[in-house]
Amino acid sequence: MLRSTTLRTSVVGIAALAVIGGLAVSASASAPSAPVADEARKAPKESSLTGSAKMFRADGQQVRFAFDAHGFAPAEPDEPGAPAGTSRGTFRLSHYTADGTQGAYAEGRIDCLLTGGPVATATGVITGSDLPGAIGKRVGFTVYDGKGDGKKDRVGYSWAVGSIPTMDVPKCLSAAPYETVESGDFKVEHVLPPNPSGNSEKAANAGTEE
């Protein structure tokens, strides 16, 4: 593969019950339940791709990916005048033979992250590697978060049909997620910013509204 590699507002329920001259007066106030308030606190504030996993290989090859990516859209857009995104983070990948004697690793910085539901596509520039010609090259990843324990997660990468040192990969482009996970877990959070690229979420959905 790696070729040449969420005020917890209490429900105070002010239930003051006064019995005066046979008149029962009760007052109560309600607020969001604790579970609802907790859920609101946990809601993600931005898109992210996190986690690590080892891929399944029948022959025992050791293929691993790890991501800590956050934000949305290229932090440094290629198109003049385009609004800057907030993508940032790190990645690491490695591919070794079953006995660990041959292979390589690469790590780097994330320069673009896009999400949609349970899928994330990210790219990053390699800053460290023992694969000749890899440092400085951009690579892409696509991750499908199958939720649960990670067993349904999938990963795809830009060098699926090429070689990292010889490829020129545009920001936020990669291959379909086809590699299956043997152990580990990836988490994808999708939060569309108010104006990621000149279009609000309402505008982005306008074409699907009747």
Side-chain angles (χ1 to χ4, degrees):
M1 182 190 68
L2 263 181
R3 308 201 254 289
S4 46
T5 52
T6 106
L7 206 84
R8 178 181 178 268
T9 304
S10 330
V11 176
V12 181
I14 307 171
L17 183 61
V19 180
I20 304 175
L23 175 64
V25 179
S26 66
S28 65
S30 63
S33 67
V36 172
D38 288 343
E39 192 65 26
R41 281 200 300 269
K42 295 176 182 176
K45 295 179 172 59
E46 63 178 358
S47 288
S48 64
L49 164 59
T50 58
S52 61
K54 178 186 179 196
M55 302 298 100
F56 171 77
R57 290 293 181 91
D59 60 2
Q61 292 183 58
Q62 303 178 48
V63 181
R64 294 180 169 84
F65 293 90
F67 306 102
D68 185 15
H70 305 263
F72 200 90
E76 300 177 359
D78 294 326
E79 183 181 351
T86 58
S87 296
R88 65 202 183 278
T90 59
F91 69 88
R92 181 181 175 89
L93 61 100
S94 62
H95 183 180
Y96 293 95
T97 54
D99 61 8
T101 60
Q102 299 181 58
Y105 86 95
E107 60 187 13
R109 60 177 180 81
I110 295 293
D111 63 4
C112 188
L113 173 66
L114 292 177
T115 59
V119 179
T121 296
T123 51
V125 176
I126 296 174
T127 58
S129 178
D130 53 6
L131 175 66
I135 294 179
K137 301 298 291 187
R138 177 179 290 112
V139 288
F141 314 92
T142 300
V143 176
Y144 167 73
D145 178 2
K147 307 305 180 183
D149 60 3
K151 296 297 185 181
K152 295 182 180 180
D153 293 356
R154 300 288 185 271
V155 179
Y157 35 86
S158 59
W159 62 97
V161 292
S163 174
I164 290 176
T166 62
M167 299 183 74
D168 292 316
V169 180
K171 293 175 182 176
C172 267
L173 286 184
S174 183
Y178 65 93
E179 286 258 21
T180 57
V181 168
E182 178 180 293
S183 60
D185 193 10
F186 295 116
K187 296 298 182 185
V188 173
E189 297 288 357
H190 172 63
V191 180
L192 189 65
N195 197 352
S197 58
N199 297 306
S200 66
E201 183 164 15
K202 181 177 180 180
N205 295 331
T208 62
E209 296 176 354
E210 297 183 357

